[in-house]
């Protein structure tokens, strides 16, 4: 029986990345019929489909697993090539990491900076809520993920990084307008908040636990940027939950005020990566884990 052909996986990957068979054929310098034939051969070998034929095509569950496998193999090859090159020159390794916005805004880039300054890697960062970043690792879109989920996927390792403490903050002007009689449930139904996206459950959980408010009972701005959270709060147009690491200066000078001292939200973060990583990828993971443990609460 013929084994798995990497040309089949290359065709699948190229179709998914480029959103169709025509563009995949152009990238691979083959005919559209050749691309289609490779996909059909892969599906015949598996006895199940790997693509949902819609516009654009998307991988099935088994297709996603194959893409994850193929992209990990590509990464290992990229890491191996410099060691085999006769001139010994190291090309930067492309590394995809799935991160939450708050880690990106606080500790992640300083952790990666030494390797980037040495010219050893180029980054492809995907930003998502920490409850969903593992999907990127599962699909092969990332080789590492920062997640609030402690349990690793099969074939992966999870290391505890530490905790981010989120404070509920607002400017003095905002407090004067929306909380003149203190912070209570009725005021929270009028005061505009900030959330990361429509799936962000942190703020809703905070209001449900502290004030028994439903998820539809309060106004919110949807802003996919941690830095913008701080700007909206300091400009006096919203209040928000934000990591204390980001606003220590604003709290110290009174530009922002902790609305509910001692009643913030704590999120524990974990670094997930494939168990077989080595070389530069292993160094990257260790640098991120060590730096996060120095910066985050333990």
């Amino acid at each position: 029986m013929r084994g798995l052909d990497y040309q089949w996986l290359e065709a699948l990957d190229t179709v998914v990345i480029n959103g169709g068979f025509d563009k995949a054929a152009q990238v691979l310098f083959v005919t559209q019929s050749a691309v289609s034939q490779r996909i059909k051969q892969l599906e015949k070998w598996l006895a199940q489909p790997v693509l949902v034929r819609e516009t654009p095509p998307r991988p099935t569950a088994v297709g996603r697993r194959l893409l994850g496998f193929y992209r990990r193999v590509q990464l290992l090859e990229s890491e191996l090539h410099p060691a085999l090159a006769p001139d010994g020159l190291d090309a930067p390794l492309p590394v995809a990491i799935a991160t939450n916005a708050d880690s990106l805004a606080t500790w992640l880039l300083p952790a990666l900076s030494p390797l980037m300054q040495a010219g050893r890697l180029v980054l492809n960062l995907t930003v998502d809520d920490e409850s969903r970043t593992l999907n990127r690792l599962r699909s092969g879109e990332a080789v590492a993920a920062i997640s609030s989920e402690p349990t690793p996927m099969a074939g992966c390792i999870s290391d505890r990084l530490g905790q981010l403490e989120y404070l509920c903050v607002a400017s003095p002007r905002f407090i004067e307008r929306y909380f003149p009689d203190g912070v209570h449930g009725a005021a929270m139904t009028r005061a505009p908040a900030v959330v990361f996206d429509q799936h962000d459950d942190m703020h809703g959980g905070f209001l449900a636990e502290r004030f028994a408010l439903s998820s539809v009972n309060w106004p919110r701005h949807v802003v996919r940027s941690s830095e913008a959270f701080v700007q909206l709060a300091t400009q006096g147009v919203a209040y928000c939950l934000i990591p204390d690491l980001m606003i220590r200066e604003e709290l110290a000078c009174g530009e922002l005020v902790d609305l509910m001292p001692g009643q913030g939200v704590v999120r524990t973060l974990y670094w997930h990566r494939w168990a077989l990583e080595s070389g530069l990828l292993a160094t990257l993971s260790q640098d991120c884990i060590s730096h996060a443990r120095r910066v985050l609460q333990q």
Side-chain angles (χ1 to χ4, degrees):
M1 179 180 178
R2 181 180 181 181
L4 184 61
D5 190 325
Y6 278 76
Q7 281 194 331
W8 301 343
L9 298 182
E10 180 186 40
L12 173 63
D13 187 50
T14 309
V15 168
V16 171
I17 289 175
N18 292 279
F21 286 77
D22 285 338
K23 291 182 180 178
Q26 295 172 24
V27 171
L28 295 174
F29 299 101
V30 297
T31 65
Q32 180 183 344
S33 175
V35 173
S36 179
Q37 185 63 26
R38 291 176 187 180
I39 299 294
K40 289 178 180 178
Q41 287 174 323
L42 176 59
E43 293 178 326
K44 182 178 179 181
W45 185 77
L46 291 167
Q48 59 182 305
V50 296
L51 278 177
V52 178
R53 267 79 168 173
E54 56 184 27
T55 305
R58 57 183 176 86
T60 62
V62 70
R64 289 195 297 271
R65 292 189 65 181
L66 288 170
L67 287 174
F69 166 77
Y70 177 67
R71 290 167 183 174
R72 293 197 300 277
V73 170
Q74 285 185 304
L75 190 62
L76 290 172
E77 288 182 355
S78 298
E79 193 172 21
L80 180 63
H81 285 164
L84 301 178
D87 55 14
L89 294 177
D90 288 350
L93 184 69
V95 176
I97 299 173
T99 177
N100 59 322
D102 296 326
S103 289
L104 179 59
T106 52
W107 63 269
L108 181 59
L109 292 182
L112 296 170
S113 180
L115 289 176
M116 289 191 290
Q117 289 177 355
R120 298 185 64 190
L121 62 83
V122 287
L123 289 178
N124 178 6
L125 296 178
T126 300
V127 181
D128 208 338
D129 186 82
E130 58 267 24
S131 65
R132 300 190 300 275
T133 48
L134 276 190
N135 293 334
R136 308 287 186 166
L137 186 61
R138 186 177 291 110
S139 69
E141 296 172 79
V143 297
I146 300 164
S147 173
S148 57
E149 171 57 51
T151 306
M153 303 183 308
C156 289
I157 298 172
S158 168
D159 286 278
R160 188 181 188 277
L161 297 173
Q163 296 178 328
L164 278 177
E165 181 180 6
Y166 290 78
L167 305 182
C168 185
V169 299
S171 70
R173 181 175 56 177
F174 189 90
I175 294 171
E176 183 179 348
R177 178 178 180 182
Y178 287 99
F179 305 119
D181 302 318
V183 180
H184 49 80
M188 289 296 191
T189 63
R190 299 189 299 270
V194 191
V195 299
F196 182 73
D197 61 21
Q198 67 271 29
H199 305 294
D200 184 356
D201 62 355
M202 180 186 293
H203 202 102
F206 173 79
L207 293 182
E209 182 179 336
R210 303 308 194 277
F211 304 101
L213 293 179
S214 74
S215 60
V216 297
N217 240 0
W218 42 278
R220 74 213 70 180
H221 303 286
V222 177
V223 181
R224 293 171 176 81
S225 163
S226 299
E227 293 83 357
F229 272 48
V230 178
Q231 292 182 35
L232 289 172
T234 56
Q235 290 169 8
V237 297
Y239 78 102
C240 62
L241 289 166
I242 200 74
D244 68 332
L245 285 177
M246 294 185 63
I247 53 171
R248 287 176 178 172
E249 291 185 6
E250 288 82 357
L251 290 172
C253 70
E255 193 174 8
L256 290 177
V257 176
D258 187 352
L259 293 173
M260 303 175 66
Q263 298 188 57
V265 176
V266 175
R267 281 277 171 98
T268 303
L269 299 177
Y270 300 84
W271 181 266
H272 292 254
R273 82 275 192 192
W274 293 101
L276 296 179
E277 70 176 11
S278 60
L280 182 59
L281 291 180
T283 301
L284 179 149
S285 286
Q286 191 54 54
D287 286 355
C288 288
I289 293 167
S290 298
H291 184 82
R293 287 176 176 175
R294 288 194 298 269
V295 174
L296 301 180
Q297 297 181 20
Q298 297 302 313

